[in-house]
Amino acid sequence: MPNVAFINGAFVPLADAKVSIEDRGFQFGDGIYEVIRTYHGRPFSLDAHLARLDRSARALNLTQPYSRADWTQHVLEGIKRAAYPEAKVYIQITRGVAPRDHAYSDDATPTVVMTVREFHPLDRSIQATGVDAMTTEDIRWGRCDIKSVNLLANVLARQQVKHAQVFEAILVNAGFVTEGAVSNVMVVQRGTVVTAPEGPRILSGVTRAVVLELALNEGLPVREQFVSQADLYAADEVFLTGTTVEVLAVVRIDGKTIGDGRPGPITQRLAASFTSRVG
Ligand code: PLP
């Protein structure tokens, strides 16, 4: 099956999809992205991902070249061409090609790239056992709500994850948990689901929103509030949410056992309702 690439309006073989060295995405990380996965061949929460792409574009004064309807058509076409059982769609928009200067021109033509690759879901056994995580300092900038391709702090955190042989880095800013390097973090405290509020410190995860809605539907109290690192270790349950991780229990953090060291009842309940939501 082919990995599909789309560049500036045309589908081309991945090997032929090239961007100039003067592209501002390459020079400055001046760009935004989205990652969408399919369930049963259909993109999950595509509208929410495209809405976030619009928000990121607006925040950076980046021209969004396609309407939501256009994007929907391109994404569906890419998924059809790739023909994988399940696909991962990556969209990137940069401010385009220009002679190197930090300041940009308002009429820059954006570079638009999309790839469609095979998506391999996490092994079910990982869901059953839960995962280990580590904490690390959140050294990111003040606009983590923008899904920017500037991912250096996340790159460094994920490298620490690799060396520590754990699953995810939980980022801590001034003693409080913000989110994971590639996921949102939720904790359960005496039956209440608690997670960092939307705002400049976190990415407003599409999965986060779905899971909070599921929690409310199940009658579970939800609180959007920062949790301290000490309360993270003391939580009854901790779990991650994200497009690729779905709802995933964290059973050890920095070597300390969370709860009884197994996925807790509320995490399991939300993971099950998430599974039924995605069909
Ligand atoms: N937070 C960060 C920093 C991420 O990179 C991601 C996903 O890539 C998420 C949260 C989860 O977002 P979503 O549920 O939209 O995939």
Side-chain angles (χ1 to χ4, degrees):
M1 297 288 183
N3 281 324
V4 166
F6 169 93
I7 179 161
N8 297 327
F11 282 98
V12 295
L14 190 62
D16 297 341
K18 300 261 166 47
V19 175
S20 163
I21 61 163
E22 293 218 288
D23 193 277
R24 292 181 59 94
F26 180 68
Q27 294 283 350
F28 298 110
D30 187 358
I32 56 174
Y33 75 107
E34 276 299 323
V35 178
I36 304 133
R37 66 156 291 184
T38 64
Y39 287 95
H40 311 293
R42 288 189 298 276
F44 180 65
S45 286
L46 180 58
D47 285 347
H49 283 282
L50 293 177
R52 187 169 64 189
L53 188 68
D54 279 345
R55 288 201 302 278
S56 297
R58 268 199 306 278
L60 296 181
N61 190 26
L62 198 63
T63 310
Q64 163 62 281
Y66 301 124
S67 67
R68 296 250 184 109
D70 290 341
W71 264 124
T72 302
Q73 205 188 325
H74 296 320
V75 168
L76 295 179
E77 173 70 18
I79 290 169
K80 197 165 115 202
R81 285 178 184 241
Y84 292 121
E86 296 299 353
K88 183 160 80 168
V89 179
Y90 175 81
I91 291 174
Q92 180 173 331
I93 306 174
T94 75
R95 208 177 302 273
V97 177
R100 191 175 186 284
D101 180 5
H102 286 66
Y104 57 85
S105 137
D106 284 330
D107 59 5
T109 305
T111 300
V112 185
V113 162
M114 176 174 76
T115 56
V116 185
R117 293 169 189 272
E118 185 160 19
F119 180 74
H120 302 281
L122 282 186
D123 204 299
R124 285 286 150 206
S125 66
I126 295 180
Q127 229 106 32
T129 57
V131 296
D132 270 58
M134 61 183 287
T135 57
T136 192
E137 195 188 340
D138 189 349
I139 59 168
R140 298 173 304 162
W141 72 324
R143 288 303 304 274
C144 301
D145 55 319
I146 301 172
K147 201 162 167 70
S148 143
V149 295
N150 266 280
L151 288 169
L152 263 186
N154 310 61
V155 165
L156 296 178
R158 291 296 298 174
Q159 191 64 10
Q160 286 181 273
V161 159
K162 189 167 147 189
H163 283 147
Q165 295 188 313
V166 294
F167 187 87
E168 175 64 310
I170 295 179
L171 307 178
V172 177
N173 183 310
F176 288 87
V177 173
T178 51
E179 59 182 330
V182 293
S183 60
N184 290 109
V185 176
M186 301 199 182
V187 310
V188 179
Q189 292 173 326
R190 290 172 295 281
T192 299
V193 178
V194 189
T195 193
E198 287 184 292
R201 286 275 157 229
I202 68 159
L203 182 76
S204 178
V206 168
T207 320
R208 175 188 179 280
V210 171
V211 171
L212 290 182
E213 186 200 315
L214 292 172
L216 289 172
N217 288 348
E218 300 240 345
L220 293 168
V222 165
R223 200 163 65 234
E224 294 181 61
Q225 187 184 308
F226 289 106
V227 169
S228 72
Q229 188 166 355
D231 285 345
L232 174 74
Y233 297 136
D236 300 320
E237 304 177 33
V238 176
F239 59 94
L240 309 174
T241 67
T243 295
T244 53
V245 302
E246 302 177 306
V247 175
L248 184 61
V250 177
V251 294
R252 252 174 318 275
I253 302 174
D254 299 333
K256 301 181 210 310
T257 302
I258 305 301
D260 65 2
R262 283 178 305 201
I266 291 183
T267 306
Q268 289 191 48
R269 219 165 115 188
L270 289 172
S273 10
F274 189 81
T275 303
S276 40
R277 167 66 70 94
V278 299

